[in-house]
Amino acid sequence: MTTITTSAPATDDQRAPLQAASLLALIERIAENVDAETEALRDDPKFDLKSSNVRKSRHLYELGRAFKNVNRDELGPQHHEAMAVLRTRLQRNEAAIKAHLSAVSEIASIIQDVIERAQADGTYSANAFAAG
């Protein structure tokens, strides 16, 4: 005869360490993703900034939910350290994004300048057509 046993649902006291561990894993995963994004920003000229922002928004949402569901008393020094690491990586990421946007802006200015010079060379001026 087979005996089937069922486990009782986990109590809040049993869930708290699991949620704290899950939060730590989430923070570390987000930090790794931010690092990967920062490297891609620096190395990949075709980097998709829009998709990157979507991913980071999703990470922020997940992090907010995780913090909402975790018992603050279960957070230890490793959580604070992981958040400090994440903050540092986000600061590096922000610097890389600023550099990327600055480069894009500079290229746009160069292209605009070239277009303005091409139009100002007299080829399409009103005076050229008035003489005809």
Side-chain angles (χ1 to χ4, degrees):
M1 172 179 233
T2 306
T3 305
I4 299 174
T5 58
T6 59
S7 58
T11 65
D12 287 343
D13 289 340
Q14 293 169 326
R15 279 191 208 114
L18 293 175
Q19 290 171 338
S22 295
L23 175 62
L24 187 59
L26 176 63
I27 295 168
E28 291 170 351
R29 182 172 53 90
I30 292 171
E32 289 172 5
N33 286 332
V34 168
D35 272 351
E37 176 185 300
T38 302
E39 291 304 313
L41 266 168
R42 292 179 179 154
D43 298 338
D44 183 1
K46 295 179 183 180
F47 181 75
D48 186 356
L49 199 55
K50 186 175 180 179
S51 294
S52 168
N53 286 336
V54 168
R55 280 189 302 276
K56 280 195 281 195
S57 292
R58 192 174 331 123
H59 290 317
L60 181 59
Y61 174 76
E62 290 175 29
L63 193 59
R65 286 188 55 113
F67 268 110
K68 183 178 175 182
N69 293 324
V70 73
N71 181 351
R72 305 267 186 215
D73 296 333
E74 293 296 321
L75 300 180
Q78 70 273 24
H79 291 91
H80 297 283
E81 183 180 328
M83 286 301 294
V85 168
L86 177 59
R87 178 177 286 124
T88 299
R89 291 179 183 184
L90 284 168
Q91 289 168 340
R92 278 192 236 137
N93 182 261
E94 178 185 21
I97 289 171
K98 284 181 179 179
H100 179 80
L101 292 177
S102 176
V104 168
S105 179
E106 188 173 328
I107 291 169
S109 291
I110 291 169
I111 291 171
Q112 181 178 0
D113 187 49
V114 168
I115 290 170
E116 287 172 359
R117 285 184 192 182
Q119 290 176 342
D121 73 354
T123 305
Y124 299 106
S125 68
N127 293 336
F129 292 107

